[in-house]
Amino acid sequence: MRVVLPDRAALPERDRPVWTEARLREKAEACLRAGRDRGLVWALHAMARRGLPLPDGALAAALAPDEEGARIGVFLDEFPREAPAAAAAQVVAAVVQRLGDYEGGHGYCVALRFLAWAAPREHHALFEEALRSEFECVYEAGVFGLGETRAAEAAPRLLEVLHSTADFPLASRALAGLILAGAGEAVAEGSEKLVDICLGARDGLTEAGEGEAHDLAELCVELERAGIDEDLWRRVEIALLDPETDAEAPPVRADRFAVFLPAADPAAARRGAAVLTAERRRRIARFADQGNSARLAAILADAAAEALARAAADNPEFRPLGAALAAFVAATSSQKMLRSLHPHDQESLALLYGTILAKAVRGRDAEKELARAEGDAAALAALLRLDEPWIPPALLPQLAAEAPEEDLMALAASPDAHVSANSRLLLAVKTPARGLAGLVACIDEAGATQACLEFAARAGGDRVLDAWLESFARHRSGASVNDLAMLIAALATERAGAYAAHFFDLLVRETRPEAVSAALLAAGNRDLATRMIDAFRRGEARCGALADDEFFRDAARGGLAALIEVFGLRADPEEVFDEGLRKYLAAHPEDAVAEEDEEPEEDDDEGAEAEDGGDDRFTDLALPADPFGAEGGEFAFQQEPRPSETAPKPGRNDPCPCGSGRKYKRCCGR
């Protein structure tokens, strides 16, 4: 289908906001008077993103206890983490003041979760107290909060949690907290306990590893703040287990060991070369290609231990984290331990060791370095060479102002994915005319995150969207339509709203409902909101992912409710959702029965509910030879079309049909 762009001469001027401060305040007050909770929350979040002070009455209403904690849950759980520090601080102060009103129930749990990411160190005592709660959700929030404090004094309580639970996610969270705190001895003890829990969860499972057991990859999710996140795990997995995809799935380059050999940081390059000798690479490649996960895990554990020791010797700031990771590796990598694991868990542990190896080669604790980088040119220059997504949204303008332009220009061409993306992002904020073209060109790289896409829009304004749409018109795909919705939502300008109107039908057909709702809310157009509600009610919206995924159902309901309440439409969100989903599934029966055909449940003739594996991900593209072409120029997007939602369900080890480059079991099949 050919994409036609609107006449640019007829578009509104660039960078004129749809939602002024006065309009947002009026909307918040109107929703408050009418009791429209979703509308109130949306208006407050929009104000927080722009760093505007939140009206005291509206904020108090959003935090007021309600019967099921639904309102405060939406407000705090979905509070924008990219909001400037002043906006977050206002909410933190209000939350602490209201804690006594929640009586230890769901509202208290939500408040603790919010404080755990917004101000963990200041509220250590609250998290300690939560571990004595009889409410499970409050207890879990306390564990999370203690881990986020990264405080040595939290280690004894976290170790107690590990010894008192058989819940794998909770145990992973507690162990991650011990690692973040640098509590080496406690990590060793806790690691053995986590593996015991993993073994217990595997009891009774089939040889293929099917069942309800949890994956050791979950520990990576919990270690995100230490720079050991799923993105690094994914790059390691592609390099070791799917090397044939390297050429088509940036940031993994032709060399399957490139993820372990960052180029921009000389110290990291030396560590990687010293640890990954030719003989060690040969053995890693052989075991990986043979599928010998136990021996692969053993050799990666040895390499990780050596790299951690080298990194600790080179960088004193990395020593606490490095010692804790070394304790984890030592406690879990004995031959007896590895042989006792299911093959699926052996593979997961091998990938975890590989991810720790990649982190150890980098040998940096970004959070500590960032804390002292303000006003320190040398510290900032070192951070710019770190191949991790380390830039906090709130500090983006300040970092861009301090970073030397010549350094950013040089690093933008780095083969290290995050070094390049971070430098392009900072350059686009610093000098949009020079840096914007290169930033837009790397938006859809596998190494660039959704956050980078949103940062790009906020940094470059409507010029980012104009330039991106030129490429979109030439190389359209399902993932690109999702990106279009995100760009419109991030910009919230009159020009972005005009694009939302022009591409309305395309957005509704090819993007998940919650993404369309976010874009239309940002566009501030009541007529478009009405058209969206009508289209959803008729079953015309893309609802395949809603058939059996509770997360996407809740997100779609929330988006519809926000549209209805912000614009005061006469409709019931639940009725609209139920009617629209019913009509969509009636017209697309393949989505309703996909999993029933593939994996019927035992002793149940009706089988399982539908599964739609069509989560939108970013598609890959080749960068132009000159990443800093003229503003608004041509960009060499080379995107693959999105697979059909009705395609047969892939196997666990098949490439995910969403185009992420990961195995299905690690992506949409999780």
Side-chain angles (χ1 to χ4, degrees):
M1 175 182 174
R2 183 168 172 265
V3 174
V4 178
L5 295 177
D7 180 6
R8 187 161 293 181
L11 292 172
E13 292 182 14
R14 284 175 171 165
D15 302 328
R16 292 199 323 211
V18 169
W19 293 94
T20 62
E21 180 177 358
R23 188 182 177 193
L24 284 171
R25 286 183 173 276
E26 290 173 2
K27 184 60 65 177
E29 294 297 335
C31 290
L32 176 59
R33 289 193 301 270
R36 300 197 295 260
D37 290 345
R38 275 281 182 176
L40 172 64
V41 166
W42 179 85
L44 291 175
H45 285 174
M47 296 176 72
R49 286 188 183 91
R50 293 171 56 179
L52 302 174
L54 307 185
D56 291 337
L59 178 57
L63 294 176
D66 55 337
E67 187 173 344
E68 297 181 355
R71 180 176 53 246
I72 185 178
V74 174
F75 177 62
L76 293 182
D77 284 342
E78 299 178 12
F79 189 85
R81 300 198 177 194
E82 70 274 17
Q90 181 186 3
V91 179
V92 167
V95 167
V96 172
Q97 190 174 10
R98 298 296 298 266
L99 278 176
D101 299 338
Y102 302 134
E103 299 180 350
H106 179 71
Y108 192 80
C109 169
V110 172
L112 285 180
R113 286 202 302 263
F114 172 76
L115 294 174
W117 76 259
R121 291 179 177 85
E122 294 87 336
H123 299 96
H124 186 284
L126 285 176
F127 304 133
E128 285 267 10
E129 182 182 347
L131 296 188
R132 295 189 288 271
S133 173
E134 61 183 14
F135 295 99
E136 182 178 357
C137 70
V138 173
Y139 179 85
E140 292 176 354
V143 174
F144 178 62
L146 277 181
E148 290 298 285
T149 65
R150 300 185 70 161
E153 55 267 30
R157 297 305 307 274
L158 290 171
L159 191 58
E160 289 177 15
V161 171
L162 267 162
H163 281 292
S164 63
T165 185
D167 181 78
F168 190 89
L170 186 64
S172 295
R173 180 161 293 176
L175 181 59
L178 291 172
I179 293 174
L180 289 170
E185 293 183 5
V187 168
E189 186 177 341
S191 299
E192 295 178 0
K193 174 61 177 176
L194 184 71
V195 173
D196 288 343
I197 295 172
C198 182
L199 289 171
R202 284 285 172 197
D203 287 347
L205 298 180
T206 66
E207 189 63 27
E210 306 289 345
E212 295 299 322
H214 293 283
D215 198 313
L216 286 164
E218 292 182 35
L219 185 58
C220 271
V221 177
E222 299 298 339
L223 285 170
E224 182 174 0
R225 285 191 59 185
I228 309 171
D229 57 12
E230 274 205 296
D231 171 72
L232 192 57
W233 170 289
R234 175 184 60 80
R235 295 167 66 187
V236 168
E237 180 181 39
I238 293 174
L240 295 179
L241 304 185
D242 298 302
E244 68 278 4
T245 68
D246 287 3
E248 302 174 0
V252 180
R253 304 188 293 279
D255 178 5
R256 74 189 299 178
F257 293 98
V259 67
F260 305 109
L261 300 168
D265 184 346
R270 288 193 298 270
R271 276 191 296 273
V275 172
L276 287 171
T277 61
E279 173 60 19
R280 187 171 263 165
R281 292 192 210 186
R282 185 186 65 78
R283 294 177 64 201
I284 290 173
R286 184 173 82 247
F287 296 146
D289 295 342
Q290 292 173 348
N292 190 336
S293 298
R295 299 194 70 178
L296 177 64
I299 191 171
L300 287 171
D302 289 343
E306 180 180 341
L308 288 166
R310 290 177 178 271
D314 293 342
N315 182 5
E317 288 190 333
F318 184 73
R319 285 174 189 167
L321 177 60
L325 291 171
F328 169 79
V329 172
T332 57
S333 60
S334 69
Q335 288 295 318
K336 180 179 179 181
M337 180 78 75
L338 290 174
R339 289 171 182 166
S340 67
L341 293 172
H342 187 280
H344 175 75
D345 296 314
Q346 291 173 348
E347 179 183 295
S348 292
L349 200 53
L351 292 175
L352 186 50
Y353 293 151
T355 307
I356 292 174
L357 168 61
K359 174 64 179 179
V361 165
R362 285 154 178 80
R364 311 275 288 278
D365 189 328
E367 185 173 289
K368 285 186 177 179
E369 293 185 40
L370 186 62
R372 65 174 176 79
E374 184 176 359
D376 187 333
L380 179 57
L383 268 174
L384 292 175
R385 296 180 177 277
L386 175 58
D387 187 30
E388 293 178 10
W390 57 269
I391 300 178
L395 294 181
L396 179 57
Q398 175 187 334
L399 293 168
E402 295 177 0
E405 183 175 343
E406 58 273 18
D407 290 355
L408 297 177
M409 287 286 292
L411 293 173
S414 171
D416 299 340
H418 288 301
V419 172
S420 176
N422 291 340
S423 299
R424 291 166 189 261
L425 179 58
L426 291 167
L427 192 61
V429 178
K430 191 179 190 73
T431 57
R434 181 185 295 271
L436 195 57
L439 178 59
V440 172
C442 80
I443 280 176
D444 280 342
E445 284 185 22
T449 65
Q450 176 180 338
C452 188
L453 176 66
E454 295 173 346
F455 293 175
R458 295 190 175 97
D462 284 331
R463 286 173 296 180
V464 171
L465 185 53
D466 288 339
W468 183 87
L469 278 166
E470 291 178 7
S471 294
F472 172 66
R474 295 191 300 274
H475 304 283
R476 188 181 72 81
S477 75
S480 292
V481 180
N482 194 58
D483 293 351
L484 172 60
M486 286 190 292
L487 281 166
I488 293 171
L491 286 165
T493 59
E494 292 181 5
R495 181 173 286 216
Y499 283 129
H502 182 80
F503 290 109
F504 176 84
D505 292 334
L506 191 63
L507 288 167
V508 171
R509 287 196 312 269
E510 299 195 20
T511 305
R512 291 198 302 266
E514 71 275 12
V516 181
S517 296
L520 299 184
L521 284 163
N525 189 315
R526 192 176 193 276
D527 291 338
L528 290 181
T530 302
R531 289 176 60 190
M532 171 60 182
I533 296 302
D534 292 342
F536 193 97
R537 194 194 296 272
R538 292 192 298 268
E540 297 172 3
R542 181 184 157 201
C543 295
L546 309 184
D548 71 335
D549 193 306
E550 188 65 34
F551 174 82
F552 288 130
R553 286 201 296 273
D554 288 345
R557 285 192 189 97
L560 294 172
L563 274 180
I564 290 169
E565 294 190 6
V566 166
F567 295 106
L569 306 181
R570 293 183 178 276
D572 180 274
E574 289 296 330
E575 291 180 2
V576 172
F577 178 85
D578 293 341
E579 182 179 354
L581 182 58
R582 175 174 54 80
K583 289 181 177 179
Y584 174 86
L585 294 178
H588 302 81
E590 67 279 4
D591 284 337
V593 299
E595 188 174 326
E596 179 180 345
D597 294 338
E598 292 290 331
E599 298 182 9
E601 295 181 357
E602 294 182 5
D603 302 323
D604 185 352
D605 294 335
E606 294 183 5
E609 293 181 354
E611 174 172 327
D612 174 69
D615 186 14
D616 285 333
R617 305 279 169 158
F618 300 128
T619 53
D620 303 330
L621 58 92
L623 288 178
D626 178 9
F628 300 107
E631 180 183 352
E634 304 276 321
F635 306 110
F637 281 68
Q638 295 182 0
Q639 298 171 323
E640 295 296 325
R642 187 177 180 277
S644 167
E645 289 188 5
T646 62
K649 181 180 176 181
R652 285 171 52 80
N653 291 308
D654 291 342
C656 189
C658 76
S660 66
R662 305 173 66 193
K663 289 186 180 183
Y664 177 70
K665 68 183 180 184
R666 298 259 185 254
C667 192
C668 297
R670 293 191 68 181

